[in-house]
Structure formats: C-alpha cells, structure tokens
Amino acid sequence: MPGKLKVKIVAGRHLPVMDRASDLTDAFVEVKFGNTTFKTDVYPKSLNPQWNSEWFKFEVDDEELQDEPLQITVLDHDTYSANDAIGKVYIDIDPLLYSEAATVISGWFPIYDTIHGIRGEINVVVKVDLFNDLNRFRQSSCGVKFFCTTSIPKCYRAVVIHGFVEELVVNEDPEYQWIDRIRTPRASNEARQRLISLMSGELQRKIGLKVLEMRGNAVVGYLQCFDLEGESGLVVRAIGTACTLDKLSNTSAFLPACNSPSKEMKEIPFNEDPNPNTYSSGPSTPLKNQTYSFSPSKSYSRQSSSSDTDLSLTPKTGMGSGSAGKEGGPFKTLLRQQTQSALEQREFPFFTLTTFPPGFLLHVGGVVSARSVKLLDRIHNPDEPETRDAWWAEIRQEIKSHAKALGCHAVVGYSESTSICEEVCILSASGTAAVLNPRFLQDGTMEGCLEQRIEEASPPGCGFCHIPYDELNMPFPAHLTYCYNCRKQKVPDVLFTTIDLPVEAIVVGKGCLIQARLCRLKKKAQAEANATSISNLLPFMEYEVHTQLMNKLKLRGMNALFGLRIQITVGENMLMGLASATGVYLAALPTPGGIQIAGKTPNDGTYEQHISHMQKKINDTIAKNKELYEINPPELPEEIIGSPIPEPRQRSRLLRSQSESSDEVTELDLSHGKKDAFVLEIDDTDAMEDVHSLLTDVPPPSGFYSCNTEIMPGINNWTPEIQMFTAVRVSRLSNINPTNQTLNKNFNDLCENLLKSLYFKLRSMVPCCLCHVNFTVALPEDELVQIAVTAVAITYDKNQALQANKAPTEKSQQRASTDNEEQLQFPLELSSDPLSSQPFSPAKEALEGASSHTGIPAAQRATSVDYSSFADRCNSWIELIKLKAQTIRRGSIKTTTSLEKASPLAEGYLRHRSVPSGTNSTVSVVKMTPLSFLPGAKITKYLGIINMFFIRETTSLREEGGVSGFLHAFIAEVFAMVRAHVAALGGNAVVSYIMKQCVFMENPNKNQAQCLINVSGDAVIFVRESELEVLPAPPPAAAAQPAGSAGDVTT
Amino acid sequence: MSSDLDVFVGNTTLIDEEVYRLWLDGHSVAEAVARRLRGGVLEREGTSVAVLQSDTRDHYRTFQMLERLLHAPPRLLQQLLFQIPPERQALLVQRYYAFDEALARELLGKKLSKGTKKELDEVSARTGVGIRSCRRQFDNFKRVFKAVEELRGPLAENIQQLFLLPPALARDYAAIVFFANSRFETGKRRLQFLSFGDFAACAQSMMAHWSQGALAPEAAEPDGDLPKSFLQDLKELKVLVSDKDLLDQHKRDTSGMGVPVLGGPGFGGSLGGGVPALSRALVNVGGKLTHARDVRDFFVDLVEKVIEPCRSDKWSPGDLRLFLTHYTAAPRNLPGFRHQALWERYMAAISACLLRMYHD
C-alpha cells in the first residue's frame, strides 16, 4: 500500500443558482479516486457553501496514483429527482509524487462543466503520503520529474543526458462508442476527458519506467500529443529526453548513473511486411537549399540535385558545418568515430532539447525530416499498439539515416507531429542533424591534449556552423566557403536548424520571423487513392516551402534559420504547408547574395522593363531590410579571407549600387557567371506570382520584432513586462473555383492579417518583441482554414544602449552562463557505452543475436547486460570523479553556494505570500509564457508538469455570442484553470506553456459547437531579480502584502 | 475570404480605455469602429479597417463577459476567469458606475421601476445620452438601490463596500438612493435651476444630520430612510410658530442680533415682516415631514417659501448665511424652549440645503 491520498473539501463560492424557486443551491461534493468515492454533507440553500469536510483518505498503489486523476464533482441535491451536476474539477496529483516539487495542492479551482463552462469555484486541499517501497519490481515510476522545457531546467544541472524516450498508448475514443448514441453530450465529454487524463497518466508512468531503467531521474523536453483518429481510436503519444538531473543546491549528490549501459528501451518491432494499406511518402523530405531555376534549359545556376539513388534518403536540407576530417587531425576523427559508434548503439540518438550548454553542440549538419502517409484502421486491441509504434519507428529510422548521411551521429531539436483528415494521417518528424561534443567519451589520458585540440579546432561562436560532412564527399551539392569567423574551416552558405540559436553564436544585427505559406489543391478521394495523391504532392510542397524560405531569407539579407518548424496539414480537398523560423545573420557564414530575376524572353522590351522594375524592388527591399534588422557585418580585408570562392559580399555591394540603373542588372547578371547568384527565373505567370508574394510580407511596425525562438537574436535588454496570448482565426475560403494561386494568396493574407492584428493589439507594449510565435494550421472542414497562434510579447528597453545596459543584464547573463558552465560538466551517458562495447567478445555477440528477435543488428543496440566490463566501470568512475574535480576547479561551485543561500529563503518568502487561502480575496497573479524563462526573474523551483485537456460543447451557440464568443470564453476558461492549478501548487508562473491542440467544430444550423483544447507547461515559482537581492534580510512588511501586489502588472 | 471566427485572448486581459468608453456609451461595434476611425487610429498605427474591426469585436466580447461581474464588483476581484491588474479592475468598476449628471438629475426622486425605465427614451432625447447608456445607468441606480435598501449603517459606506466605488462616487450614489427612497419631487419647474450636484449635496447634509446612523452607528433603521422618531419630534418645533410669545421673542432675537450686521442694502425693508414668514415656513417644512406626500414636496417648499422670497428681497448668499446662523442660534435664549438640540439638528441640514440651493 504505497500511498495515501488525502483530500479535504473546504468551501465553494459563486455557485450557480440551481433551484429557480429559491434562487439558491443545495450543494454537496463527491470526491472520487479510482473506484472509491466519498461525499460531503449537503450544504443547504447557499451559493457559497462552507463544507469544511473531514479528510477523505484513499489508500492506493502508486501506480494508480500516477495514472488516475482526482475527480471532484459538485452536485445540487434534489429530494425528488436525480441530483444535478454543477461541474467538475480534475486534479492531477503527479506533482505531489516527487519530493522536490509541491507538497500540497491547496486553493480555489474553477468548477468546470463541459456544457456551461466555469460555474463557481471550490476550495480544495490535497496531500499525499508516500511510503517508499524499493524492493518490488515496480510498475510505477514515482519520483521521475517531467519538464516541458526543452533545455536543462534553470535550477538543475545535467549529470547525464541519457537520450530519447518515447511511448504511446491507444484506446477507443468514447465519442465513437455505441453507448455515445444514448448518453448525453455531457456524459460523453466527461468520459473523454477522464479517459485522456487516465491515458496521459499511464503514458507518463510508462515513460518514467523507461527513464528509471536508464537510471535517469527526469524527462526534459517532454512533449505529449493526442491523435484523435476518429473511428479508429485515440492515440496518446509522448517523446522526451531522459536525463539525470542534479539540483544545483546539492552538488554533493553522487549518482552512479554513468555506468548504466542504457538498458534496451522497449524494442520496437519492425514490420517486415508493412501493412498493404499504408503508404510511405516517397523518400521523405527532398528539401533543397540550392539555387535552381524554373526552366531547365537555362539552368546555369546550380542544378537541384534530383534524387540520385544514393542520396534519395538524405534530406537535402543539409546546410552543413565544419569539415571535420582534416583539420581535426586523427585524434578528432577517432573521437568522432567513437562518439558515433556510441550513439549508434542507441536505437535513436535523438534529443528533444533545443537549447544546449555552450560547447555541447560541435557541428550542426542541417534539418532532417521525414514524413509518411498512413491509412488509419481501427485499433482492435488497445493493449497492443504495435501498428502505431511501427509507423513511428519507421520514420525515426529514416531520420536517423538522414542524419548519418549528413555525417552526423545525433539529431537534436527533435519533434514529431501528425495531421489527420478522415482516415488519412500524415506522420511527420523533424530535427537537426548534429555532432555532439565527444569530450567526455575519452578516458583521462587523452583528455587534456584532445580538449586543446578541439578548442583549437572549433572556436566558440562559429564551431557549430562548420560542416560535419566530408567536403569531398558531400551528400548534396553545397556551396562552401571558409568560415568568416575563424577562417580555418568550411562553412555552408546557409544553415537551417530546428534548434534555438546557441548562446555562444556570433550574430550580426537582429533576427526576424520568417514564414513560408503554401496551399495545394488535391482531388477529393477515398482511402488508398487519397493517400497516394497526398504522397505524391508532399515532395513538391516541401520543395516549394523550402524555396520560399530561402527566398525570404535572402530578401532579409540573412543567412541562417533557427527553430524551423514545417507543418503540413491535410484537408479534404487541399494540403497546406506552413513553415516558421527565425532568420538571423550568422557572422560565421558568408553574406548572402541578392536575388536576381531573369526574364524568359530577353528581346521583349516591355517585359524586360517589367523585370528590371521588379529587380529594383527586390534590391530595395533587401537594402531596407538590412537597415531594419541592423545587418552590417564588419568589413574584412580581402586578403585575410583568402577564399577560393568568389567574394559574395562584393556581389551584394555591387547589387546595391546597381539598384538605381536597372538596365545594368541584366548585364551584371551575366558577368557573375551565375555561379552562386540566387536567380529566380520568371518563365510564366506562376513564377511572377511567386515573386510578387515574396514582396507582400510586410515588416512589423516600428518598435516590434518577432521570432519563433526562445530568445530574439540581437535583443537582450528585456524588461519584465510580458503578455502571453492565444489568437484563433477560422476563415472561409469562398472561392468557387479555387486555384493554387488564389488559395496561396488567401492563406498568405490570412497569416499576414493575423500578424498585423497582433501588432495592433499589443501596440501599448512597444518597444517589444513577440517571442516563440507558434502558428498551428488546421483544416476542420471543406473550405475552412483555422489558424491558432500562441506567443508572448516581451517589452525591452530601447533607450539603454546595449553597452550601457550591460550592467543589469550582465548579471543575469553571467548567472546564466555560469549555470551553463555547470551544465556543461555532464558526460553524455555515452561515456560508458563505447568502453563497454569495445571489448566485444564473439560469445556475447552470439548471445545477443540469440536474444534478439527483432532483427535489429546487434551491433546497433546497446548491450543489455554487461558482465565483462568491470574494469571499464572503474574507468568511468574515475572519469566521473575527475569531472567533479574539474567542476570545482572551474569555480562553478561558487555560484552554486550562493544560490543555495538564496533559494530556500526565496521559496519561503514566496511560499508565504502566495499561499492560497480560502479567505484571501485577492487572486494571486500567475504569469504564463511559452518561453523557458521569465525576463528579469529567477526560477527558484519547478513544481511539476501541467498537462490539461478540456472539452467544451454548446447547444446554444448563438446565445453564447456565436463561434467567436464561444471560443473566446473557452480559451479564457482554459487559462483560468491553468492559473488556478499553478496557484494551488504554490506557483506563480507557467513556463514552456504550449497549446498543443485546439480542435474546433461547429454546426451553425443546429446551433451547436464543440472544442477540444490541450495545453501543457511547467509550473514554477519565480522571484524577481530585484527582490532576490533584498531577500537576505526578509522584509516582514512586504511579506504581509498580498501576492497580487508583488507580481507586476501583467500576465 | 471572410473570417468566421476571430478571437484574441491574453493571459492578462487587455483593456482598451477608448473602446471601453465607446462600449459604455452604448455604441454598436460598427459605430465604435467608425468613431475610432475618426480618431485617426489608422494613420497613427498604420493598420487596416479589418484589424480595427477585429480588435473592437474582441474588446466588446470581453466587456460583455465582464459585465456580469461588474454587476457585483467584489466578484470581479475574486473571479479567476480574467486576470486583470488591480488598478485596471478599479478603472473598470469606476467607469462602469460613473453616470451622466444630466441623466441622474432627470431620475432623481423617481421610482426606479419598470415604468420609469420605459420613459428612458424621452430622457435620452432630453439629455443627449444614448438610450443604451441610459438603460445601463438606470440599471446601475436600481442595482445599487436594491443592494443597500435594507442595509443598516451609513449609506455611502455601504455602497462603497458593496460596489468598490471611490468615495465621491459612492456619496453620489447614496444621494440617488436617498432621493429614490423618499421620492422627493425634483422635476417641478421652479426646481429646474438646481443641478444634480445641488441635490446630492442636500441629500448628504440631510443624511449627515438627520439619519439615525449620524447619531448612533448601530442604528436600527437604514440610512436611506429618514428616521420616524426624528420626524415625529419635528412636530414639537411648531411651538416656535404657534406660541405667539416664542415667535415674537425669536423674531426679536434674530433681528436684534442681526441688525448691526444685516444692515446691508435691500436687507432691512422687508425683514420685519419677512422673518415671521420665513420662520413659519422653515418650521412648517419640518413639521410636515411625517406625511410621505409632504416629504416629496420638501424641496418645492424650500424653494417656494424660503429661497424665492429671499431672492425677491435680493439677499446675497452671505445675507442668507448670516440670517440662518443667527436664526438657528436664537432659540437658545428663549425661555421654556426645550428642543434646542432637536432644533439645531434640524436647522443644520436645512441651512446647508438652503445655502447650497441659493443661487440662480
């Protein structure tokens, strides 16, 4: 009996009137956990009942504790008829299951009803007494911490990053069960909410088990998603990065985790004979970064590499970095091989993290992605989710091979998504191929000299740009130059990644949000024919999206994309592609050349004039953008560059000078020999449209910047005011005979208008930056397009010059960097793997072969049990101790101790203020942000993951203000419920907040609508940096103030 | 491409003061957009009409959802649905309960009933306040009235507590409730020169001096009603006019003390005959207050019987003040007059009212 859950129902307030006659309510509460239910007494005739119940105690297994939500139902007692439900509160008690998080959940929760929305509030106190049992073969994984944050959480240090964990569970969707025909919408919605709550609990527990097997204690970058497959069922899946984290205040904790050869993760069976119904979209993403022309006849520009057999699997996205082999010397090659082999043993060397400690990323190869189109079939047995597992395994395998083709052994910034329409499902995965730091893979003797070498080889700030693949044997034709920063290694001309901009990267000017938008019509079709046509369309879409991104990047005079996210959404009669990324100018990469337009018929005079007019416009735009984003790379003397390749900067300079006399453009065009100029050839009206659409992107109004990454490149003087928001738009594409062009334009306008309206809404915050702008596109019905945006606006100080303002920000940056410094001290779990795998005895191999039924080559997998490597184990222990020594040498301990001093106080202080008491009338402020940090504040404690799923339905749509009124209220309610849960945990903010799903369906004829929303994030306690300094002498006066006054004005 | 659904929800609820004003004034979304356009937002922000429409709709929806909470402002503080900084909450409440004095003046003393609400069309036409705004303001008056009708203790404080209004606004509401409660006639022609502010000030002095709360905070009767016992006692004051000796004495005292000072132009002539008339009027006004119908005429009487004669005698406000001061103090010397305290309590409010009302 490992746990006792205790619940107390204190009071209610603002209950709805349930008895029309008396205008009052006779309320009581049912508290349910698992199969046990308790009831409070009826509190008669009151809208503000005071139950003050006893403690209801549930004695349960910890497995149950993890899976089940606590379910609180408020009812109105009725003597003569059935009791009416007022509403429910689901409380996820997971945060109470690990010691460092919350100890009690206590506060006012909105009482939620899926038909009526929030109906009053209830005050509840929840506690858990856990009895540890270490002995049994556990099915629970209590104690494993989960974080949505895609970096090492701020108050932790990564001891080991173990790697990828994934799991999925399936079930029948209650909405599609036969019983749904006879039960009320409310009952059906509640069944769904409860099931999903249960499933995510189960999923989390299973992932936790995997983490424990890997000897980790936490999952970072945890992303859980729902696939509503309709008739065929409900899939809940999650991915994350298993880590062993160490709280920064107790560095002495010594975890012997290093030596665990990652026990075999759940073996994913490979379907040798794929389901005949499934279609794999060709050879995945033929993303290309090359220049190309639209007419083959005139293709003097670099020809796009149409998939040669060998390359067909490689994502041509590859904008590589750092030619490794030569300069690194034999040592490095050796290193690389070892890291590689170590990572290869792992089934999937993937990391869901997007931000890493400096120096962790050695090289970045480029974006790798894979998509596959599948036909959904009914999930017959929920206990055997093999099909779905196999689908994902296939895609992951593909990603892995793409990364390998780019000379990379790992994939970072990895994510997965789906788009479902009827029975067709597109599975997508993407990430960034990378080479990780092999520093910790070596035993002591080599470390010293190697480290030197590596540092020599890859100077900070540009190392990650250097190509990882072999220059002579490139996976695709790319245009290499010597790095503009160190002049030693080769860099590509552009770099696309899915990760955040590394902290150490040297950036010129500011960044900006870049989006590529695309619609493609498709015939309505059934089943297989439908899947085939989608499969056929996908490569073209990816190609076009990529072209658009490249054009827009060049138009802004930038040379790298971060946080790239390409979404392909499938609808009944069209496909939509939306790619978002943050463009920056990396100092290490060459200046991008301009865009040149070439006409198809050079002898036509008016046409020519038109072309040159366009050219001028483009050149002007580039010049304007360079000014806007402050892109003025330092001029370097020519001789230092010593690049064999024609100077691109020169070209751009020329271009600018040419802009006045348009006639010369064509001439200049020729003179450059087109070797590396980016040429757009206009050979038909389509191409013309494309060029036009390039120019329609309006830059944000002055005072605004936007990006979709965590931090805005080029701005670091944030002020603490933040405003997180969600905006949703559904538009009808009202064309009778839509063409790709009109659709593109409509879609483009829709996105641009949405952005414009965001800028207008937030105008009072200027100067500010929209960070983490996250667009999600859905096609709910035939002609409907739904776009949901979640982002945060953060103000920054414009007047303080960057130099002058260093003082306040530097401190935080320093702190951040020291934190990072510490985080850097972790060994990859790999550290032990190569050692244990080196002495591969034939006997063991045989054993391995015998035990594996899956057909995965034994060499690729981590050894499951390793008896032979006692010596190696010793080695790695020694290594670990060395590491500790190094940590101390570096002086990072100092920061640690200072933190130790500050944080408990800070917590106590905050705790005291934000205690949500029943009588406290002011509501404590809870900030929400999609970022992992709060500007000007320090996160002192992570309280647990927030993962909530809500359904709202109405049968009186008009009365509730139509679709907009309905959804507006629902989103506000979701925010309110998230805030209430965080406040009840004792927190004052949610970081890494994300709205993962917003499914909206309407039936205006029936006056009905339904919406499902799924959100998640990390509940935290933060303290203002200014307060932190005052804290050592705790101010009693301030502590007595209500929390509301302390949290600043916003969010 | 038309937007069917278009919402923006911030974790901190955005409140645009300009749009709030337009909403409070009862403009439709289209009207509000037109007005904002005229305000020059487009040029300032370089945006489009569509954006402005979408923004206005968002705000209107928010306000509609907030309105329910604004009806009980303490709930606005406790609710979890909208995260609004305290100073913004205060602003929302204050603006919502702010009213047009012209409208309030029209409604003063009227029964806050459905019938009155139906007449709002005319009121709207007379005052130039939009009809929707009129209805909202009327509902505010009625809501406040209902909420404090039965409560004990000082009216203004009760209102301030229940509706979280700033003190001055709460006092104005107290006046409205007080007038509605006693149904004072304010619509008569000869009262038209009095503004809402005048009446509000009168109500305040009447409540301050006459109501039970003024004497004993734990009084049994609500502050909005004039205490019965007090009104009953006022009858006793009739002795001042009915008893010939007392009347003469009073007159003598007043003029005796007054002569040196009240020697100004236009003062002396009619004073001799005026004082008894004024005196009778002042005392009679009080004596009549036991009958509800006479209560209604309180202000009419004051104007007709005191203010107008004084005005025709060309008294300056200073003259009136002097007179009232002495007139109030005079009975102190009257032998056998036992109601000195009552008299002064009565006259304190009457004097304050008269002085406030004595203007053109």
Side-chain angles (χ1 to χ4, degrees), chain A residues 10 13 106-108 123 913-922 924 983:
Chain A
V10 183
R13 66 183 185 197
S106 160
W108 287 101
N123 194 279
R913 286 185 319 169
S914 61
V915 161
S917 73
T919 49
N920 196 357
S921 63
T922 45
S924 56

Side-chain angles (χ1 to χ4, degrees), chain A residues 823-872:
Chain A
Q823 283 165 10
L824 195 132
Q825 318 298 318
F826 69 81
L828 273 173
E829 194 210 341
L830 319 167
S831 50
S832 61
D833 283 354
L835 299 167
S836 60
S837 60
Q838 268 165 359
F840 233 130
S841 68
K844 226 178 76 186
E845 210 168 74
L847 193 133
E848 190 72 53
S851 68
S852 93
H853 307 284
T854 57
I856 299 170
Q860 275 202 12
R861 303 188 310 160
T863 47
S864 45
V865 195
D866 196 346
Y867 302 101
S868 64
S869 57
F870 178 66
D872 304 330

Side-chain angles (χ1 to χ4, degrees), chain A residues 456 514 728 874:
Chain A
E456 208 179 290
I514 293 180
V728 182
C874 283

